[in-house]
């Protein structure tokens, strides 16, 4: 019997925060970011206490400032899980410091919290050890590189996209894969990999785009499916054109060329009505000139688009900034039956965008850009015509 048996036993009454989240994920089979959202929505950080343990197994309860009605360690840890561990079903032990998850929970306290009781976890040191061993083994066997061949020309469909063109209906995942030019199989096989968010960033963006479009009633998914023709029209409307899929929408639907009243033909007449050849020839020449004029105008517009630069005039820039401001409000506004926003805060949006590192957009740049966008939206709403519209809507 060791002289430290009692002290070590006391230490086993506590579970490392990262081990706790991995235990929940192993039991529920859910993603880490979804588990973090569940705990935040159920006020877990207001009911639980965090503890620190030194190398001698001495346990100390963390006391937070009176200005906080929640456990600060838990709140920060869950927010980091939600923004940094996306589409993964376990937290790598190498991420403990990055996630600030090097503190402990009491098994006894966890068992008394309502939202934890619902999960029916096996809250024991042995269960935590088994899950930790699985995570460690996964870390050792993890594939650190996912190969994916990039699309050279987005407007030219690859073989995978051509197969999607044959489908009559799409779910969100398949629609996102259509735009990304990848097989659904690749998503299913690699969702748990550490580099998934980096390698499949475009797929994640397209998936979020469709989810936001559904929330805003921009596109209709019936029983989580959308008809191919409806998808073609929606993608064309927002600027995504795939050759052989929805490029046909570039052609304006056929319309009557002239307003001609057709004569009513008496069916009792056996003779074929006479055709005025000169009149038809004259109309043909008029229409031909209109067609040539439109064709010339089309060529000019196409040339302007080809030579267009990325510079925006003041009105266009202001319009874009206002649009960004509106999107920020929508993404943080409660939606749906659970009355929960798509993103809990602007910091979460910036965190995800920074994590994606799209076009090297850093945290400071995004914060400044969002600030300008919100100011532009606020200024636009102060204009007389918008104030009148707001009062009428009430």
């Amino acid at each position: 019997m060791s002289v430290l048996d009692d002290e070590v036993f006391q230490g086993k009454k506590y579970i490392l925060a990262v081990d706790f989240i991995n235990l929940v994920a192993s039991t529920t089979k859910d993603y880490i970011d979804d588990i973090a959202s569940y705990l935040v929505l159920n006020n877990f950080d207001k009911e639980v206490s965090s503890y620190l343990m030194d190398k001698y197994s001495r346990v100390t309860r963390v006391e937070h400032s009176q200005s906080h009605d929640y456990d600060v360690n838990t709140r920060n840890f869950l927010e980091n899980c939600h923004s940094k561990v996306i589409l993964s079903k376990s937290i790598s032990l190498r991420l403990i410091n990055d996630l600030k998850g090097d503190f402990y929970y009491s098994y006894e306290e966890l068992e008394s919290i309502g939202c934890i009781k619902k999960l029916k976890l096996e809250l024991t040191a042995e269960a935590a050890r088994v899950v930790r061993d699985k995570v460690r083994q996964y870390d050792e066997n993890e594939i650190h590189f996912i190969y994916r061949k990039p699309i050279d020309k987005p407007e030219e469909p690859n073989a995978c996209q051509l197969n999607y063109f044959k489908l009559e209906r799409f779910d969100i995942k398949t629609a996102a894969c259509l735009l990304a030019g990848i097989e659904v199989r690749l998503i299913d096989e690699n969702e748990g990999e550490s580099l998934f968010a980096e390698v499949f960033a475009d797929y994640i963006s397209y998936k979020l785009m469709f989810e936001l479009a559904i929330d805003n009633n921009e596109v209709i998914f019936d029983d989580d499916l959308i008809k191919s023709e409806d998808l073609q029209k929606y993608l064309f409307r927002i600027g995504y054109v795939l050759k052989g899929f929805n490029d046909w929408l570039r052609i304006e639907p056929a319309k009557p060329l002239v307003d001609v009243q057709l004569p009513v033909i008496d069916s009792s007449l056996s003779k074929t009505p006479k055709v005025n050849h000169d009149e038809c020839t004259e109309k043909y020449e008029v229409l031909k000139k209109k067609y040539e004029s439109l064709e010339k105008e089309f060529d000019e517009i196409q040339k302007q688009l080809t030579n267009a630069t990325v510079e925006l005039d003041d009105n266009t820039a202001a319009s874009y900034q206002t649009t960004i401001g509106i999107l920020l409000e929508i993404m943080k506004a409660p939606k749906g039956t659970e009355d929960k926003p798509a993103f809990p805060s602007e910091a979460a949006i910036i965190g995800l965008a920074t994590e994606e590192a799209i076009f090297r957009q850093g945290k400071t740049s995004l914060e400044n850009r969002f600030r300008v966008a919100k100011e532009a939206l606020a200024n636009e709403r102060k204009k007389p015509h918008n104030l009148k519209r707001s009062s009428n809507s009430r």
Side-chain angles (χ1 to χ4, degrees):
M1 178 178 179
S2 171
V3 294
L4 292 177
D5 279 352
D6 288 342
E7 286 74 9
V8 172
F9 175 74
Q10 291 300 321
K12 289 184 178 180
K13 292 183 179 180
Y14 300 85
I15 182 173
L16 191 67
V18 170
D19 287 341
F20 168 66
I21 295 295
N22 280 335
L23 178 62
V24 176
S26 176
T27 303
T28 63
K29 310 300 182 186
D30 283 325
Y31 293 110
I32 296 297
D33 50 327
D34 289 337
I35 294 170
S37 297
Y38 170 80
L39 294 176
V40 170
L41 291 171
N42 285 278
N43 298 317
F44 175 71
D45 54 344
K46 295 184 179 182
E47 299 187 46
V48 76
S49 299
S50 59
Y51 296 83
L52 298 180
M53 187 184 302
D54 62 19
K55 62 182 179 180
Y56 304 109
S57 297
R58 291 179 298 191
V59 178
T60 304
R61 179 172 177 171
V62 178
E63 298 295 338
H64 299 289
S65 168
Q66 293 182 354
S67 61
H68 297 101
D69 62 344
Y70 55 85
D71 185 88
V72 177
N73 287 337
T74 300
R75 175 70 65 87
N76 293 336
F77 174 57
L78 294 178
E79 288 184 351
N80 286 332
C81 285
H82 191 278
S83 62
K84 295 183 178 181
V85 189
I86 302 175
L87 296 177
S88 177
K89 294 192 176 181
S90 66
I91 299 177
S92 171
L93 301 179
R94 297 189 299 271
L95 297 178
I96 291 178
N97 292 331
D98 290 343
L99 298 177
K100 298 180 181 179
D102 54 346
F103 58 91
Y104 294 79
Y105 293 130
S106 162
Y107 283 116
E108 184 178 355
E109 287 185 11
L110 291 174
E111 291 173 347
S112 66
I113 297 176
C115 67
I116 304 302
K117 288 181 180 179
K118 293 180 181 179
L119 301 179
K120 297 181 180 180
L121 307 176
E122 184 183 348
L123 290 170
T124 64
E126 176 61 22
R129 184 192 64 77
V130 171
V131 171
R132 173 176 272 234
D133 287 345
K134 289 181 180 179
V135 173
R136 183 182 290 111
Q137 183 178 5
Y138 177 80
D139 286 349
E140 293 173 354
N141 298 330
E142 183 180 12
I143 300 175
H144 296 286
F145 180 76
I146 307 173
Y147 173 75
R148 178 184 169 194
K149 183 180 179 181
I151 301 177
D152 297 328
K153 296 181 179 179
E155 70 279 1
E156 294 290 338
N158 58 23
C160 180
Q161 289 172 309
L162 290 175
N163 287 330
Y164 288 134
F165 291 178
K166 304 172 185 177
L167 298 179
E168 295 182 357
R169 294 178 181 272
F170 292 77
D171 57 18
I172 293 179
K173 179 186 288 188
T174 308
C177 286
L178 166 69
L179 289 180
I182 55 178
E183 297 180 58
V184 173
R185 173 184 58 82
L186 289 178
I187 301 300
D188 294 336
E189 291 178 355
N190 296 296
E191 274 185 331
E193 300 294 343
S194 60
L195 294 179
F196 178 83
E198 178 180 344
V199 178
F200 295 97
D202 53 347
Y203 162 79
I204 295 174
S205 298
Y206 294 139
K207 184 172 180 289
L208 292 174
M209 178 186 76
F210 283 118
E211 291 173 349
L212 184 62
I214 293 173
D215 290 340
N216 294 331
N217 295 321
E218 296 176 13
V219 62
I220 303 299
F221 275 73
D222 187 13
D223 291 333
D224 296 328
L225 295 173
I226 182 174
K227 294 180 180 178
S228 177
E229 184 176 350
D230 293 338
L231 178 61
Q232 293 172 33
K233 293 178 180 178
Y234 168 70
L235 293 178
F236 181 82
R237 191 167 65 250
I238 62 175
Y240 290 95
V241 179
L242 293 173
K243 185 177 180 180
F245 184 65
N246 63 344
D247 56 335
W248 61 273
L249 289 165
R250 284 176 171 163
I251 305 173
E252 186 178 4
K255 296 180 180 179
L257 298 177
V258 291
D259 186 13
V260 180
Q261 293 293 333
L262 297 178
V264 178
I265 302 175
D266 189 346
S267 59
S268 62
L269 298 177
S270 57
K271 297 181 179 180
T272 304
K274 295 181 179 180
V275 177
N276 189 322
H277 183 271
D278 293 338
E279 183 179 350
C280 290
T281 302
E282 183 180 350
K283 289 180 180 179
Y284 169 81
E285 293 298 330
V286 171
L287 294 176
K288 182 180 178 181
K289 289 180 181 179
K290 286 185 179 180
Y291 172 81
E292 291 173 349
S293 175
L294 289 174
E295 189 174 37
K296 182 177 180 181
E297 184 178 353
F298 174 81
D299 291 338
E300 288 294 326
I301 294 174
Q302 193 173 43
K303 187 182 298 183
Q304 292 175 12
L305 290 175
T306 303
N307 298 328
T309 68
V310 295
E311 297 180 0
L312 303 176
D313 58 41
D314 292 341
N315 289 336
T316 305
S319 175
Y320 280 16
Q321 291 166 355
T322 305
T323 303
I324 294 172
I326 293 173
L327 289 175
L328 280 174
E329 286 190 353
I330 293 173
M331 296 170 80
K332 294 189 295 180
K335 294 284 183 181
T337 56
E338 295 181 357
D339 195 36
K340 93 174 183 182
F343 292 89
S345 66
E346 184 178 313
I349 301 173
I350 293 176
L352 178 59
T354 306
E355 185 76 9
E356 300 296 338
I358 300 174
F359 285 104
R360 301 179 295 281
Q361 300 193 62
K363 180 174 180 292
T364 303
S365 297
L366 289 171
E367 288 176 342
N368 291 336
R369 193 167 299 144
F370 285 3
R371 175 181 56 76
V372 172
K374 291 186 289 185
E375 290 175 355
L377 178 60
N379 292 334
E380 184 65 23
R381 283 177 169 160
K382 292 178 182 178
K383 293 181 180 180
H385 64 282
N386 285 325
L387 290 175
K388 183 177 180 181
R389 184 180 303 171
S390 299
S391 61
N392 290 338
S393 63
R394 295 173 189 166

